[in-house]
Amino acid sequence: MHRLFVALRPPPAIRALLASAQGGVPHARWQDDDQLHLTLRYIGEVERPVAEDVALALGQIHAPAPTVALTGVGAFDKQKRVDALWAGVAPHDTLAALHKKIDQALVRIGLEPERRAYLLHITMARLPRSAGTGPAIEQWRARHAALTSDPFTLDALILYESRLGRHGASYDAIARFAL
């Protein structure tokens, strides 16, 4: 089985800016440079023939390369505990349209449509269940609330394979498609 997702990769200068905002939250598993990406569509576990169909479908997508900028930080919380810290990205419209094109292409090859709301972000850290919602998280959010960048272009769709390990996930780019 192959655990897949489709993402865009920020350029090195943006990844360095994101890395400079990491730290200060106990027990956070900060994303390393190889893990920083903007997910457009999670696919999940599929057999090899389906993975090959996914790659073919993505290769048929024609869309302009979106130009975006970082816009602050936030946190995802579930059941009153924070499980991820993220950086925001805007504008939303171009990326939402690209997300929709990808979803439609994947539905045409037989995958289920995306049912979750599309929340535009770059995950910066994951937190264990024990982290809760302590003051360090709120302090980190306040300290980096004004995180912004100059506009940058995301010029390729990347099909990633995710492998789960003892220390979190590792991602391998298995196909790249120019926008």
Side-chain angles (χ1 to χ4, degrees), residues 157-173:
L157 291 177
I158 303 172
L159 178 60
Y160 282 99
E161 183 167 5
S162 173
R163 291 187 173 86
L164 299 177
R166 285 184 53 205
H167 302 291
S170 63
Y171 308 133
D172 295 316

mmCIF file with all atom_site columns, all heavy atoms in Angstrom, residues 157-173:
data_model
loop_
_atom_site.group_PDB
_atom_site.id
_atom_site.type_symbol
_atom_site.label_atom_id
_atom_site.label_alt_id
_atom_site.label_comp_id
_atom_site.label_asym_id
_atom_site.label_entity_id
_atom_site.label_seq_id
_atom_site.pdbx_PDB_ins_code
_atom_site.Cartn_x
_atom_site.Cartn_y
_atom_site.Cartn_z
_atom_site.occupancy
_atom_site.B_iso_or_equiv
_atom_site.pdbx_formal_charge
_atom_site.auth_seq_id
_atom_site.auth_comp_id
_atom_site.auth_asym_id
_atom_site.auth_atom_id
_atom_site.pdbx_PDB_model_num
ATOM 1   N N   . LEU A 1 157 ? 2.921  20.793 -8.774 1.00 0.00 ? 157 LEU A N   1
ATOM 2   C CA  . LEU A 1 157 ? 2.211  19.843 -7.920 1.00 0.00 ? 157 LEU A CA  1
ATOM 3   C C   . LEU A 1 157 ? 3.176  18.711 -7.628 1.00 0.00 ? 157 LEU A C   1
ATOM 4   O O   . LEU A 1 157 ? 3.892  18.261 -8.525 1.00 0.00 ? 157 LEU A O   1
ATOM 5   C CB  . LEU A 1 157 ? 1.008  19.243 -8.655 1.00 0.00 ? 157 LEU A CB  1
ATOM 6   C CG  . LEU A 1 157 ? -0.166 20.124 -8.969 1.00 0.00 ? 157 LEU A CG  1
ATOM 7   C CD1 . LEU A 1 157 ? -1.203 19.324 -9.759 1.00 0.00 ? 157 LEU A CD1 1
ATOM 8   C CD2 . LEU A 1 157 ? -0.766 20.659 -7.701 1.00 0.00 ? 157 LEU A CD2 1
ATOM 9   N N   . ILE A 1 158 ? 3.175  18.231 -6.406 1.00 0.00 ? 158 ILE A N   1
ATOM 10  C CA  . ILE A 1 158 ? 4.041  17.117 -6.048 1.00 0.00 ? 158 ILE A CA  1
ATOM 11  C C   . ILE A 1 158 ? 3.185  16.019 -5.427 1.00 0.00 ? 158 ILE A C   1
ATOM 12  O O   . ILE A 1 158 ? 2.382  16.274 -4.524 1.00 0.00 ? 158 ILE A O   1
ATOM 13  C CB  . ILE A 1 158 ? 5.154  17.547 -5.073 1.00 0.00 ? 158 ILE A CB  1
ATOM 14  C CG1 . ILE A 1 158 ? 5.974  18.678 -5.695 1.00 0.00 ? 158 ILE A CG1 1
ATOM 15  C CG2 . ILE A 1 158 ? 6.053  16.357 -4.717 1.00 0.00 ? 158 ILE A CG2 1
ATOM 16  C CD1 . ILE A 1 158 ? 6.972  19.323 -4.751 1.00 0.00 ? 158 ILE A CD1 1
ATOM 17  N N   . LEU A 1 159 ? 3.349  14.808 -5.953 1.00 0.00 ? 159 LEU A N   1
ATOM 18  C CA  . LEU A 1 159 ? 2.702  13.644 -5.369 1.00 0.00 ? 159 LEU A CA  1
ATOM 19  C C   . LEU A 1 159 ? 3.691  13.047 -4.378 1.00 0.00 ? 159 LEU A C   1
ATOM 20  O O   . LEU A 1 159 ? 4.805  12.676 -4.750 1.00 0.00 ? 159 LEU A O   1
ATOM 21  C CB  . LEU A 1 159 ? 2.343  12.628 -6.455 1.00 0.00 ? 159 LEU A CB  1
ATOM 22  C CG  . LEU A 1 159 ? 1.685  11.324 -5.970 1.00 0.00 ? 159 LEU A CG  1
ATOM 23  C CD1 . LEU A 1 159 ? 0.382  11.599 -5.233 1.00 0.00 ? 159 LEU A CD1 1
ATOM 24  C CD2 . LEU A 1 159 ? 1.473  10.378 -7.150 1.00 0.00 ? 159 LEU A CD2 1
ATOM 25  N N   . TYR A 1 160 ? 3.299  13.029 -3.116 1.00 0.00 ? 160 TYR A N   1
ATOM 26  C CA  . TYR A 1 160 ? 4.153  12.529 -2.046 1.00 0.00 ? 160 TYR A CA  1
ATOM 27  C C   . TYR A 1 160 ? 3.644  11.187 -1.543 1.00 0.00 ? 160 TYR A C   1
ATOM 28  O O   . TYR A 1 160 ? 2.436  10.935 -1.504 1.00 0.00 ? 160 TYR A O   1
ATOM 29  C CB  . TYR A 1 160 ? 4.137  13.484 -0.849 1.00 0.00 ? 160 TYR A CB  1
ATOM 30  C CG  . TYR A 1 160 ? 4.976  14.716 -1.003 1.00 0.00 ? 160 TYR A CG  1
ATOM 31  C CD1 . TYR A 1 160 ? 4.402  15.924 -1.373 1.00 0.00 ? 160 TYR A CD1 1
ATOM 32  C CD2 . TYR A 1 160 ? 6.342  14.689 -0.723 1.00 0.00 ? 160 TYR A CD2 1
ATOM 33  C CE1 . TYR A 1 160 ? 5.167  17.073 -1.482 1.00 0.00 ? 160 TYR A CE1 1
ATOM 34  C CE2 . TYR A 1 160 ? 7.114  15.836 -0.829 1.00 0.00 ? 160 TYR A CE2 1
ATOM 35  C CZ  . TYR A 1 160 ? 6.521  17.014 -1.212 1.00 0.00 ? 160 TYR A CZ  1
ATOM 36  O OH  . TYR A 1 160 ? 7.281  18.155 -1.316 1.00 0.00 ? 160 TYR A OH  1
ATOM 37  N N   . GLU A 1 161 ? 4.599  10.367 -1.095 1.00 0.00 ? 161 GLU A N   1
ATOM 38  C CA  . GLU A 1 161 ? 4.269  9.178  -0.338 1.00 0.00 ? 161 GLU A CA  1
ATOM 39  C C   . GLU A 1 161 ? 4.713  9.427  1.094  1.00 0.00 ? 161 GLU A C   1
ATOM 40  O O   . GLU A 1 161 ? 5.828  9.886  1.337  1.00 0.00 ? 161 GLU A O   1
ATOM 41  C CB  . GLU A 1 161 ? 4.953  7.932  -0.889 1.00 0.00 ? 161 GLU A CB  1
ATOM 42  C CG  . GLU A 1 161 ? 4.553  6.682  -0.129 1.00 0.00 ? 161 GLU A CG  1
ATOM 43  C CD  . GLU A 1 161 ? 4.958  5.394  -0.812 1.00 0.00 ? 161 GLU A CD  1
ATOM 44  O OE1 . GLU A 1 161 ? 5.643  5.439  -1.848 1.00 0.00 ? 161 GLU A OE1 1
ATOM 45  O OE2 . GLU A 1 161 ? 4.578  4.334  -0.275 1.00 0.00 ? 161 GLU A OE2 1
ATOM 46  N N   . SER A 1 162 ? 3.827  9.151  2.023  1.00 0.00 ? 162 SER A N   1
ATOM 47  C CA  . SER A 1 162 ? 4.094  9.352  3.444  1.00 0.00 ? 162 SER A CA  1
ATOM 48  C C   . SER A 1 162 ? 4.359  8.009  4.088  1.00 0.00 ? 162 SER A C   1
ATOM 49  O O   . SER A 1 162 ? 3.605  7.061  3.887  1.00 0.00 ? 162 SER A O   1
ATOM 50  C CB  . SER A 1 162 ? 2.881  10.020 4.095  1.00 0.00 ? 162 SER A CB  1
ATOM 51  O OG  . SER A 1 162 ? 3.029  10.094 5.484  1.00 0.00 ? 162 SER A OG  1
ATOM 52  N N   . ARG A 1 163 ? 5.442  7.958  4.862  1.00 0.00 ? 163 ARG A N   1
ATOM 53  C CA  . ARG A 1 163 ? 5.764  6.742  5.616  1.00 0.00 ? 163 ARG A CA  1
ATOM 54  C C   . ARG A 1 163 ? 5.783  7.100  7.099  1.00 0.00 ? 163 ARG A C   1
ATOM 55  O O   . ARG A 1 163 ? 6.495  8.022  7.499  1.00 0.00 ? 163 ARG A O   1
ATOM 56  C CB  . ARG A 1 163 ? 7.121  6.206  5.181  1.00 0.00 ? 163 ARG A CB  1
ATOM 57  C CG  . ARG A 1 163 ? 7.091  5.647  3.768  1.00 0.00 ? 163 ARG A CG  1
ATOM 58  C CD  . ARG A 1 163 ? 8.414  4.971  3.415  1.00 0.00 ? 163 ARG A CD  1
ATOM 59  N NE  . ARG A 1 163 ? 8.333  4.303  2.149  1.00 0.00 ? 163 ARG A NE  1
ATOM 60  C CZ  . ARG A 1 163 ? 8.554  4.893  0.976  1.00 0.00 ? 163 ARG A CZ  1
ATOM 61  N NH1 . ARG A 1 163 ? 8.866  6.166  0.933  1.00 0.00 ? 163 ARG A NH1 1
ATOM 62  N NH2 . ARG A 1 163 ? 8.465  4.207  -0.141 1.00 0.00 ? 163 ARG A NH2 1
ATOM 63  N N   . LEU A 1 164 ? 4.999  6.370  7.857  1.00 0.00 ? 164 LEU A N   1
ATOM 64  C CA  . LEU A 1 164 ? 4.931  6.621  9.296  1.00 0.00 ? 164 LEU A CA  1
ATOM 65  C C   . LEU A 1 164 ? 6.022  5.828  10.003 1.00 0.00 ? 164 LEU A C   1
ATOM 66  O O   . LEU A 1 164 ? 6.229  4.652  9.712  1.00 0.00 ? 164 LEU A O   1
ATOM 67  C CB  . LEU A 1 164 ? 3.568  6.237  9.838  1.00 0.00 ? 164 LEU A CB  1
ATOM 68  C CG  . LEU A 1 164 ? 2.389  7.007  9.241  1.00 0.00 ? 164 LEU A CG  1
ATOM 69  C CD1 . LEU A 1 164 ? 1.086  6.483  9.808  1.00 0.00 ? 164 LEU A CD1 1
ATOM 70  C CD2 . LEU A 1 164 ? 2.537  8.495  9.479  1.00 0.00 ? 164 LEU A CD2 1
ATOM 71  N N   . GLY A 1 165 ? 6.705  6.485  10.936 1.00 0.00 ? 165 GLY A N   1
ATOM 72  C CA  . GLY A 1 165 ? 7.757  5.837  11.708 1.00 0.00 ? 165 GLY A CA  1
ATOM 73  C C   . GLY A 1 165 ? 7.667  6.218  13.170 1.00 0.00 ? 165 GLY A C   1
ATOM 74  O O   . GLY A 1 165 ? 6.771  6.958  13.585 1.00 0.00 ? 165 GLY A O   1
ATOM 75  N N   . ARG A 1 166 ? 8.609  5.744  13.941 1.00 0.00 ? 166 ARG A N   1
ATOM 76  C CA  . ARG A 1 166 ? 8.630  6.019  15.386 1.00 0.00 ? 166 ARG A CA  1
ATOM 77  C C   . ARG A 1 166 ? 8.681  7.502  15.700 1.00 0.00 ? 166 ARG A C   1
ATOM 78  O O   . ARG A 1 166 ? 8.169  7.958  16.714 1.00 0.00 ? 166 ARG A O   1
ATOM 79  C CB  . ARG A 1 166 ? 9.833  5.334  16.028 1.00 0.00 ? 166 ARG A CB  1
ATOM 80  C CG  . ARG A 1 166 ? 9.677  3.854  16.196 1.00 0.00 ? 166 ARG A CG  1
ATOM 81  C CD  . ARG A 1 166 ? 10.840 3.232  16.918 1.00 0.00 ? 166 ARG A CD  1
ATOM 82  N NE  . ARG A 1 166 ? 11.099 3.896  18.181 1.00 0.00 ? 166 ARG A NE  1
ATOM 83  C CZ  . ARG A 1 166 ? 12.272 3.914  18.789 1.00 0.00 ? 166 ARG A CZ  1
ATOM 84  N NH1 . ARG A 1 166 ? 13.304 3.287  18.264 1.00 0.00 ? 166 ARG A NH1 1
ATOM 85  N NH2 . ARG A 1 166 ? 12.423 4.518  19.931 1.00 0.00 ? 166 ARG A NH2 1
ATOM 86  N N   . HIS A 1 167 ? 9.340  8.265  14.849 1.00 0.00 ? 167 HIS A N   1
ATOM 87  C CA  . HIS A 1 167 ? 9.534  9.695  15.116 1.00 0.00 ? 167 HIS A CA  1
ATOM 88  C C   . HIS A 1 167 ? 8.671  10.567 14.218 1.00 0.00 ? 167 HIS A C   1
ATOM 89  O O   . HIS A 1 167 ? 9.013  11.709 13.946 1.00 0.00 ? 167 HIS A O   1
ATOM 90  C CB  . HIS A 1 167 ? 11.007 10.060 14.958 1.00 0.00 ? 167 HIS A CB  1
ATOM 91  C CG  . HIS A 1 167 ? 11.899 9.269  15.872 1.00 0.00 ? 167 HIS A CG  1
ATOM 92  N ND1 . HIS A 1 167 ? 11.900 9.455  17.236 1.00 0.00 ? 167 HIS A ND1 1
ATOM 93  C CD2 . HIS A 1 167 ? 12.768 8.264  15.628 1.00 0.00 ? 167 HIS A CD2 1
ATOM 94  C CE1 . HIS A 1 167 ? 12.753 8.609  17.792 1.00 0.00 ? 167 HIS A CE1 1
ATOM 95  N NE2 . HIS A 1 167 ? 13.293 7.871  16.838 1.00 0.00 ? 167 HIS A NE2 1
ATOM 96  N N   . GLY A 1 168 ? 7.545  10.033 13.745 1.00 0.00 ? 168 GLY A N   1
ATOM 97  C CA  . GLY A 1 168 ? 6.652  10.798 12.888 1.00 0.00 ? 168 GLY A CA  1
ATOM 98  C C   . GLY A 1 168 ? 6.728  10.337 11.449 1.00 0.00 ? 168 GLY A C   1
ATOM 99  O O   . GLY A 1 168 ? 7.269  9.278  11.133 1.00 0.00 ? 168 GLY A O   1
ATOM 100 N N   . ALA A 1 169 ? 6.202  11.161 10.573 1.00 0.00 ? 169 ALA A N   1
ATOM 101 C CA  . ALA A 1 169 ? 6.125  10.808 9.154  1.00 0.00 ? 169 ALA A CA  1
ATOM 102 C C   . ALA A 1 169 ? 7.337  11.334 8.399  1.00 0.00 ? 169 ALA A C   1
ATOM 103 O O   . ALA A 1 169 ? 7.897  12.381 8.732  1.00 0.00 ? 169 ALA A O   1
ATOM 104 C CB  . ALA A 1 169 ? 4.855  11.388 8.557  1.00 0.00 ? 169 ALA A CB  1
ATOM 105 N N   . SER A 1 170 ? 7.709  10.583 7.369  1.00 0.00 ? 170 SER A N   1
ATOM 106 C CA  . SER A 1 170 ? 8.695  11.079 6.409  1.00 0.00 ? 170 SER A CA  1
ATOM 107 C C   . SER A 1 170 ? 8.007  11.082 5.057  1.00 0.00 ? 170 SER A C   1
ATOM 108 O O   . SER A 1 170 ? 7.126  10.251 4.788  1.00 0.00 ? 170 SER A O   1
ATOM 109 C CB  . SER A 1 170 ? 9.946  10.209 6.397  1.00 0.00 ? 170 SER A CB  1
ATOM 110 O OG  . SER A 1 170 ? 9.629  8.904  5.969  1.00 0.00 ? 170 SER A OG  1
ATOM 111 N N   . TYR A 1 171 ? 8.392  12.023 4.206  1.00 0.00 ? 171 TYR A N   1
ATOM 112 C CA  . TYR A 1 171 ? 7.729  12.203 2.924  1.00 0.00 ? 171 TYR A CA  1
ATOM 113 C C   . TYR A 1 171 ? 8.728  12.045 1.791  1.00 0.00 ? 171 TYR A C   1
ATOM 114 O O   . TYR A 1 171 ? 9.809  12.613 1.829  1.00 0.00 ? 171 TYR A O   1
ATOM 115 C CB  . TYR A 1 171 ? 7.103  13.594 2.832  1.00 0.00 ? 171 TYR A CB  1
ATOM 116 C CG  . TYR A 1 171 ? 6.205  13.945 4.002  1.00 0.00 ? 171 TYR A CG  1
ATOM 117 C CD1 . TYR A 1 171 ? 6.317  15.175 4.641  1.00 0.00 ? 171 TYR A CD1 1
ATOM 118 C CD2 . TYR A 1 171 ? 5.251  13.048 4.481  1.00 0.00 ? 171 TYR A CD2 1
ATOM 119 C CE1 . TYR A 1 171 ? 5.485  15.506 5.708  1.00 0.00 ? 171 TYR A CE1 1
ATOM 120 C CE2 . TYR A 1 171 ? 4.438  13.359 5.545  1.00 0.00 ? 171 TYR A CE2 1
ATOM 121 C CZ  . TYR A 1 171 ? 4.549  14.589 6.159  1.00 0.00 ? 171 TYR A CZ  1
ATOM 122 O OH  . TYR A 1 171 ? 3.747  14.913 7.206  1.00 0.00 ? 171 TYR A OH  1
ATOM 123 N N   . ASP A 1 172 ? 8.316  11.288 0.780  1.00 0.00 ? 172 ASP A N   1
ATOM 124 C CA  . ASP A 1 172 ? 9.120  11.119 -0.423 1.00 0.00 ? 172 ASP A CA  1
ATOM 125 C C   . ASP A 1 172 ? 8.312  11.656 -1.600 1.00 0.00 ? 172 ASP A C   1
ATOM 126 O O   . ASP A 1 172 ? 7.181  11.216 -1.834 1.00 0.00 ? 172 ASP A O   1
ATOM 127 C CB  . ASP A 1 172 ? 9.431  9.641  -0.667 1.00 0.00 ? 172 ASP A CB  1
ATOM 128 C CG  . ASP A 1 172 ? 10.310 9.057  0.417  1.00 0.00 ? 172 ASP A CG  1
ATOM 129 O OD1 . ASP A 1 172 ? 11.290 9.715  0.804  1.00 0.00 ? 172 ASP A OD1 1
ATOM 130 O OD2 . ASP A 1 172 ? 10.000 7.942  0.883  1.00 0.00 ? 172 ASP A OD2 1
ATOM 131 N N   . ALA A 1 173 ? 8.903  12.588 -2.355 1.00 0.00 ? 173 ALA A N   1
ATOM 132 C CA  . ALA A 1 173 ? 8.272  13.068 -3.576 1.00 0.00 ? 173 ALA A CA  1
ATOM 133 C C   . ALA A 1 173 ? 8.422  11.969 -4.624 1.00 0.00 ? 173 ALA A C   1
ATOM 134 O O   . ALA A 1 173 ? 9.532  11.571 -4.947 1.00 0.00 ? 173 ALA A O   1
ATOM 135 C CB  . ALA A 1 173 ? 8.935  14.356 -4.036 1.00 0.00 ? 173 ALA A CB  1
#
